[in-house]
Amino acid sequence: MSVRRFVTGALGSAALVLSSFGVVTTAAGSAVADPCGFFETGSDAYYHHCTSDGSRVVIKVEAAWAPDYERCVAPGKTWLGSSSKIDGAYYLGRTC
């Protein structure tokens, strides 16, 4: 068996295994929804409050170079600032 055929066969097998677990995605697929809670992109930090009841909740924002603070967020995605300035954010268990 040639090296080229072996590599091609191995890659094909790996793709088959990964696709059976739902790991492989295609570039032409639909955009992935933002995750619930805190997340970052390459340059920005967000908190995504996932709800269908319209509630607003209080989150704690952990700032990198400033005091942490609380913020009331509405359903959906809220921009918190530059990812270099925000270390994280989490739900405090109360509405606002």
Side-chain angles (χ1 to χ4, degrees), residues 4 18 25 29 57 69 73 84 92:
R4 185 176 186 178
L18 292 174
T25 60
V57 297
Y69 58 94
V73 296
S84 65
L92 288 175

Side-chain angles (χ1 to χ4, degrees), residues 25-27 29-35 39 48 77:
T25 60
T26 62
S30 63
V32 176
D34 296 324
F39 71 96
H48 187 192
K77 185 171 70 170

Side-chain angles (χ1 to χ4, degrees), residues 37-48 59-66 69 71 73 77-89:
F38 176 76
F39 71 96
E40 294 178 319
T41 63
S43 59
D44 296 299
Y46 296 92
Y47 188 87
H48 187 192
I59 63 170
K60 176 85 165 225
V61 179
E62 298 172 328
W65 304 105
Y69 58 94
R71 182 168 179 182
V73 296
K77 185 171 70 170
T78 300
W79 183 75
L80 300 176
S82 168
S83 59
S84 65
K85 295 181 180 180
I86 305 296
D87 288 333

Side-chain angles (χ1 to χ4, degrees), residues 7-39:
V7 170
T8 303
L11 291 174
S13 296
L16 180 62
V17 169
L18 292 174
S19 66
S20 68
F21 289 113
V23 175
V24 175
T25 60
T26 62
S30 63
V32 176
D34 296 324
C36 296
F38 176 76
F39 71 96

